[in-house]
Amino acid sequence: MEQTLQAILDSLPPRRRRSKLEPYAALIRALRARGRSYREIVTILRERCGLRVATHTVYHFVQAKAQTHTAVNRSRPHPPAPARRASAPSASSPSFTPDAQDDVWARIAAVKQRAPASKNDAPKTFVYDEHTPLQLIADIKPPKR
């Protein structure tokens, strides 16, 4: 019985890659990091690599790789960021750095821990009673914003 199973396994061809873009994944990732559009990437793949693909094929390939990448990163534990306040970004500094992401999470955590603002004792602008139709209250004017 084992010999027949082994013969079947040996007769099967090796499994193909799922995407013909797989060998070019690093190139596509680098081109996207440099700000190239999907159309430009398709043109480069056609002219330089001899690979004919549609724009949406490259787009879906990049999206699938990004989902795989984020799924792997989410499975790793993320250390809590220290609470600190960042200075305003200057025009020459990059808009995104790993430290900036940690700072954003720290600020979000600080906002969540803050006590809620006390409600003003402003009069209500309308009264709801489920048995009567809605009516405007003439005596009370809504606060100006």
Side-chain angles (χ1 to χ4, degrees):
M1 185 69 166
E2 280 187 31
Q3 292 176 350
T4 56
L5 294 177
Q6 189 62 39
I8 292 171
L9 290 174
D10 292 339
S11 68
L12 294 175
R15 188 166 181 217
R16 274 184 4 131
R17 289 190 176 112
R18 292 188 65 172
S19 172
K20 61 182 176 180
L21 293 174
E22 196 67 42
Y24 306 99
L27 173 65
I28 293 170
R29 192 178 317 114
L31 290 170
R32 287 297 295 162
R34 292 184 181 187
R36 297 292 184 148
S37 70
Y38 293 109
R39 286 183 183 169
E40 291 172 324
I41 293 172
V42 167
T43 304
I44 291 169
L45 289 172
R46 183 180 49 226
E47 292 175 355
R48 305 272 175 97
C49 303
L51 182 67
R52 295 187 57 93
V53 291
T55 306
H56 71 275
T57 305
V58 176
Y59 171 78
H60 289 294
F61 178 77
V62 170
Q63 296 303 314
K65 287 291 184 184
Q67 286 177 354
T68 304
H69 180 70
T70 55
V72 168
N73 285 344
R74 284 185 183 165
S75 65
R76 296 182 192 154
H78 184 59
R84 63 178 186 263
R85 187 80 181 179
S87 62
S90 65
S92 64
S93 68
S95 61
F96 177 76
T97 62
D99 290 337
Q101 184 178 13
D102 291 341
D103 184 50
V104 169
W105 285 110
R107 290 188 300 172
I108 289 172
V111 168
K112 286 182 178 180
Q113 291 176 355
R114 259 193 274 170
S118 63
K119 294 184 177 181
N120 295 342
D121 294 332
K124 296 181 179 179
T125 55
F126 72 93
V127 176
Y128 176 73
D129 182 11
E130 63 184 36
H131 301 292
T132 60
L134 291 178
Q135 299 178 24
L136 291 176
I137 300 173
D139 296 353
I140 302 172
K141 294 181 182 177
K144 292 184 180 181
R145 294 182 186 186

